[in-house]
Amino acid sequence: MPVSAPAGSRRGWRLWRTTVFRLTLAYAAFFALAGMALLVVILWSATGFMTRQVDASIAAEMAEVMADAADPALHGDPYKTVIDSLARRSPAFQYLLQSADGKPLAGNMHALRPVPGIRLMLRDHRLGHENNPEPTVLHGQGRVLPDGRFLFVGLNVYSVAEMRQSLARAFLWCLGPILALGLVSGFLLSMSMARKVERISVASRAIMDGDLSQRIARGGGGDEFDHLADSLNAMLDRIATLMLNLSQVTNDIAHDLRTPLTRLRQKLELAERDDLTRDALREALAGAGGELDRILSTFSALLRIAQIEAGSRRAGFTALDLRPLLQTLHEAYAPVAEEGGQTMTFQPGPLPLPVQGDPELLTQLVANLIENAITHAGPGAALALDAGRTGERVHITVSDTGPGIPAGLRQKVLQRFFRLESSRTTPGNGLGLSLVAAIAGLHDAELTLDDNHPGLRCTLTFAAAVRSTL
């Protein structure tokens, strides 16, 4: 039987796994490291400055000793005279003149090891230091004279060491408040982030429970979380639109296929009658086949729209000039319009019409608009296929002088299976303009339906012409 961890241990592990706790510790550690780095910089700068000042003072004192000793007015041993005089007049400095064999000759220090250059000594070499409790750290400069004797000038820098220790103690006193400030700051910042994440989590759970209208609230600060909320809300809007479209398509399919399926059933029931003649049976089966063809055509159109909206056809985009494509369509549909008592004109414009797109889909788009005009404009209508460029934009217009579409229904006719009441007696499945809208969306082109006074004007505008040599 497995042994479970104690409750206190589990709570501690859960606390450690929370982002708030770990961020709080991270902030506290960051503050502590920042304080330590600041102390090191202060110590290094202050110590360096004071050391340079001490070196300059010692160098100046050494130069003064050498200058005074070179005075020809001095009698006897000039170095001994100068050192004895300075040892009495300048108690802050330590002086030593010793012979080549290491015996002190003048000054206020015991004998030293004759090492030239700058040196730091922690041992007290002052004469009579046993009776002087003042601590000392001697920093000085030694020089070997031409006659082999050794000259040393030093200064007690215990105050520098004491200042370093004072700064270290001050930092230790400040470390506690720094850590406390880091913990408080980290906790407040972490709680602020946790609240923002919780808003997203609450909205996500509501959406998972079926409330697709739920959206993520913005904090109002314009920070990254607000940007994330905007992006997620835009994604949710898109998903809601797709869900609505899917529901609408499902309802429309169920509604619009009921009639052809009912007619198909009636024709099949008629074919089952025993008293049916051979010709009547053949006619009933042909009618059933026609209904099946219309149903299959509807499903094919739906699948084609779905494939186009999926965007996979963008991989086949190429640069092309629309003028030859439109010329071919005009030559194909102008005779059809004339057979119906209509006229059709074509104005391609003087400039090339370069766009990036799928030639097959663009052909189908314009063909659907022309067929829609021929079917619904009625006899005697004038159809026009125009194209041109306005700046970098390429536009194609298909217009007619038929009855047109009421302004309130011009966007609805782009929905799947939507048909005007006046059009229900004409052949069609209500998917032609939906396919046009899908192809236009795939090419990032704007499709607008306007009043042609009279009739309908369908305009397709591409965002920017392709810069090419077409």
Side-chain angles (χ1 to χ4, degrees):
M1 179 178 178
V3 179
S4 60
S9 177
R10 291 197 299 270
R11 284 195 297 272
W13 176 242
R14 285 198 298 270
L15 178 63
W16 168 252
R17 295 182 60 185
T18 59
T19 302
V20 173
F21 182 76
R22 284 185 287 182
L23 284 177
T24 300
L25 291 183
Y27 272 103
F30 172 77
F31 270 75
L33 290 176
M36 293 177 66
L38 180 63
L39 173 68
V40 170
V41 171
I42 292 175
L43 281 176
W44 179 78
S45 300
T47 304
F49 174 77
M50 296 192 70
T51 301
R52 288 191 295 274
Q53 293 295 320
V54 169
D55 287 343
S57 298
I58 293 173
E61 191 68 15
M62 177 65 79
E64 183 179 350
V65 170
M66 298 301 292
D68 291 347
D71 188 354
L74 294 177
H75 300 286
D77 188 342
Y79 283 101
K80 186 174 182 301
T81 303
V82 171
I83 292 300
D84 284 339
S85 174
L86 290 175
R88 290 192 300 271
R89 292 187 290 108
S90 303
F93 282 91
Q94 301 296 311
Y95 303 93
L96 173 64
L97 176 66
Q98 68 181 30
S99 62
D101 56 358
K103 293 180 179 179
L105 301 176
N108 51 10
M109 296 181 62
H110 293 289
L112 296 177
R113 193 159 49 89
V115 178
I118 299 295
R119 57 195 295 188
L120 183 68
M121 295 177 289
L122 299 179
R123 183 181 173 186
D124 196 345
H125 292 271
R126 295 174 298 169
L127 293 176
H129 69 273
E130 297 83 1
N131 300 322
N132 188 355
E134 180 185 0
T136 182
V137 175
L138 196 60
H139 186 93
Q141 180 181 4
R143 176 176 296 185
V144 178
L145 299 177
D147 57 3
R149 291 185 296 177
F150 179 70
L151 175 64
F152 180 85
V153 176
L155 190 63
N156 186 2
V157 294
Y158 178 76
S159 58
V160 177
E162 191 176 30
M163 182 202 67
R164 187 184 298 111
Q165 294 174 359
S166 298
L167 287 174
R169 284 195 297 270
F171 169 73
L172 292 177
W173 280 105
C174 293
L175 184 60
I178 290 175
L179 285 174
L181 181 61
L183 289 171
V184 173
S185 301
F187 179 76
L188 293 178
L189 291 175
S190 302
M191 289 300 296
S192 175
M193 292 181 62
R195 282 195 294 270
K196 294 176 180 178
V197 173
E198 183 62 18
R199 285 205 302 269
I200 299 175
S201 179
V202 169
S204 300
R205 286 194 294 269
I207 293 169
M208 286 189 294
D209 291 339
D211 184 8
L212 295 180
S213 65
Q214 186 68 240
R215 294 294 180 269
I216 300 170
R218 300 176 84 257
D223 56 8
E224 292 80 1
F225 281 94
D226 281 351
H227 181 69
L228 176 63
D230 292 340
S231 299
L232 292 176
N233 287 337
M235 181 187 67
L236 291 172
D237 290 340
R238 177 62 176 163
I239 292 175
T241 301
L242 293 176
M243 294 289 290
L244 181 62
N245 290 340
L246 179 62
S247 175
Q248 177 200 341
V249 169
T250 304
N251 294 333
D252 290 342
I253 290 175
H255 179 270
D256 284 66
L257 291 185
R258 180 181 301 172
T259 300
L261 287 174
T262 301
R263 289 199 298 264
L264 175 62
R265 180 183 178 84
Q266 291 173 347
K267 294 183 183 302
L268 292 176
E269 289 177 349
L270 178 63
E272 289 179 348
R273 291 174 52 179
D274 296 335
D275 58 344
L276 208 63
T277 64
R278 189 179 186 84
D279 291 340
L281 176 61
R282 186 179 296 109
E283 182 180 355
L285 291 177
E291 295 296 339
L292 282 175
D293 288 341
R294 280 189 285 275
I295 293 172
L296 291 175
S297 175
T298 299
F299 277 109
S300 296
L302 287 172
L303 289 174
R304 189 164 179 78
I305 292 173
Q307 290 173 350
I308 292 172
E309 289 180 339
S312 59
R313 295 292 294 267
R314 280 199 176 95
F317 277 16
T318 184
L320 71 152
D321 185 359
L322 288 176
R323 287 194 304 178
L325 184 149
L326 298 177
Q327 180 67 40
T328 302
L329 287 171
H330 174 257
E331 293 173 357
Y333 282 100
V336 179
E338 290 177 1
E339 289 179 2
Q342 301 166 332
T343 60
M344 182 175 179
T345 60
F346 175 44
Q347 296 292 335
L351 298 175
L353 305 174
V355 298
Q356 191 81 20
D358 186 313
E360 179 189 352
L361 292 178
L362 291 174
T363 300
Q364 184 167 14
L365 184 155
V366 180
N368 276 20
L369 291 177
I370 295 174
E371 289 176 359
N372 190 68
I374 291 175
T375 303
H376 301 290
L383 279 58
L385 174 61
D386 301 320
R389 288 172 58 177
T390 304
E392 293 296 319
R393 293 173 174 264
V394 173
H395 58 83
I396 303 171
T397 301
V398 178
S399 58
D400 62 67
T401 56
I405 299 176
L409 300 178
R410 286 172 193 158
Q411 290 302 315
K412 288 190 174 182
V413 297
L414 301 179
Q415 299 176 1
R416 294 174 178 85
F417 298 111
F418 185 87
R419 304 188 69 186
L420 299 174
E421 287 299 324
S422 57
S423 304
R424 292 195 175 276
T425 57
T426 58
N429 52 19
L431 295 174
L433 289 178
S434 300
L435 183 60
V436 168
I439 297 174
L442 181 69
H443 289 78
D444 295 327
E446 181 184 5
L447 176 64
T448 56
L449 307 182
D450 301 305
D451 195 340
N452 195 40
H453 305 289
L456 178 67
R457 175 188 296 270
C458 302
T459 304
L460 185 72
T461 304
F462 293 86
V466 177
R467 297 182 182 276
S468 69
T469 57
L470 289 173

